Amino acid sequence: FPKSIIRLFPEKQREIIRYWLKSFPAFFFLNKLSKLAQIYGTDKYEHGYTEIYQQYFKEIKHKKLRILEIGIGGGENTKYGGNSLKMWAKYFPKSEILGIDLYDKSLLDYRRIKTFQGSQSDEIFLAQFNNLDIIIDDGSHINADVIKSFEILFPRLNLGGSYYIEDTQVSG
């Protein structure tokens, strides 16, 4: 769609259009997580995470899972971020994809993607998340926050679930 036509739609509809425009090329790479990361513009490919994740997730990608990602990206701008949530939604076709961020990212809520606004170190906020199969911490990268999230969320994983902490090289 030309940008002049897209601007005629409300912001929520524009986000859905952008999602579906990227879904077409993604359709040809549903089993290649690194390619999906490139299509959706997440840095997980650049960091080398997608190759590792694909090894761990290839046997469970068609199961109905609850996946929580801490940190949606885009900072304070409510129109940016969510690239990896979209990638996960495409890679895991039957799973519920949950994302948390300090800032409102509800513009990204669509079908199996649901976002929540709150802090990864807020015990009361995190208490709402249960029965999780995969947790990916790509949040603040502050040691105290990472540890607090782990202490609260790890016990909420289903039996056999897994917990991943990204970017530990920049934590402080």
Side-chain angles (χ1 to χ4, degrees):
F1 288 101
K3 287 185 179 184
S4 58
I5 292 175
I6 290 178
R7 287 189 189 121
L8 298 174
F9 294 97
E11 192 60 44
K12 181 68 178 178
Q13 294 301 317
R14 283 188 246 172
E15 180 58 33
I16 292 169
I17 291 168
R18 284 191 287 270
Y19 177 79
W20 281 105
L21 287 176
K22 289 186 178 185
S23 290
F24 180 73
F27 174 79
F28 297 100
F29 301 101
L30 296 178
N31 293 317
K32 298 190 182 307
L33 193 54
S34 291
K35 189 63 178 170
L36 291 174
Q38 290 174 313
I39 290 169
Y40 286 104
T42 173
D43 64 356
K44 291 185 186 326
Y45 168 75
E46 297 161 17
H47 292 297
Y49 298 140
T50 51
E51 292 295 322
I52 296 165
Y53 285 143
Q54 184 161 325
Q55 290 175 7
Y56 286 112
F57 298 155
K58 66 183 172 187
E59 300 298 323
I60 61 171
K61 77 178 288 289
H62 292 288
K63 291 186 176 186
K64 189 174 182 178
L65 305 170
R66 283 182 49 111
I67 301 168
L68 173 67
E69 182 157 21
I70 301 169
I72 296 174
E76 294 180 31
N77 192 325
T78 60
K79 295 179 185 178
Y80 294 109
N83 298 342
S84 60
L85 297 180
K86 295 171 190 174
M87 174 194 72
W88 294 129
K90 203 47 85 177
Y91 188 73
F92 291 102
K94 297 178 183 175
S95 295
E96 180 181 12
I97 312 300
L98 311 172
I100 67 171
D101 202 275
L102 282 174
Y103 304 102
D104 178 19
K105 301 295 179 168
S106 59
L107 188 62
L108 300 167
D109 292 0
Y110 181 64
R111 292 194 173 185
R112 296 176 296 108
I113 297 173
K114 176 77 174 131
T115 62
F116 300 84
Q117 183 179 359
S119 172
Q120 77 176 97
S121 62
D122 181 341
E123 191 167 350
I124 295 169
F125 169 69
L126 294 178
Q128 68 185 299
F129 301 101
N130 291 298
N131 300 316
L132 301 166
D133 297 293
I134 298 172
I135 299 171
I136 301 163
D137 185 341
D138 191 14
S140 73
H141 309 306
I142 297 169
N143 287 335
D145 291 347
V146 172
I147 292 167
K148 184 76 168 177
S149 301
F150 182 82
E151 290 174 342
I152 297 165
L153 292 172
F154 186 78
R156 298 171 182 282
L157 277 171
N158 291 327
L159 188 62
S162 51
Y163 198 112
Y164 302 88
I165 302 170
E166 295 183 353
D167 303 320
T168 56
Q169 76 279 7
V170 297
S171 56

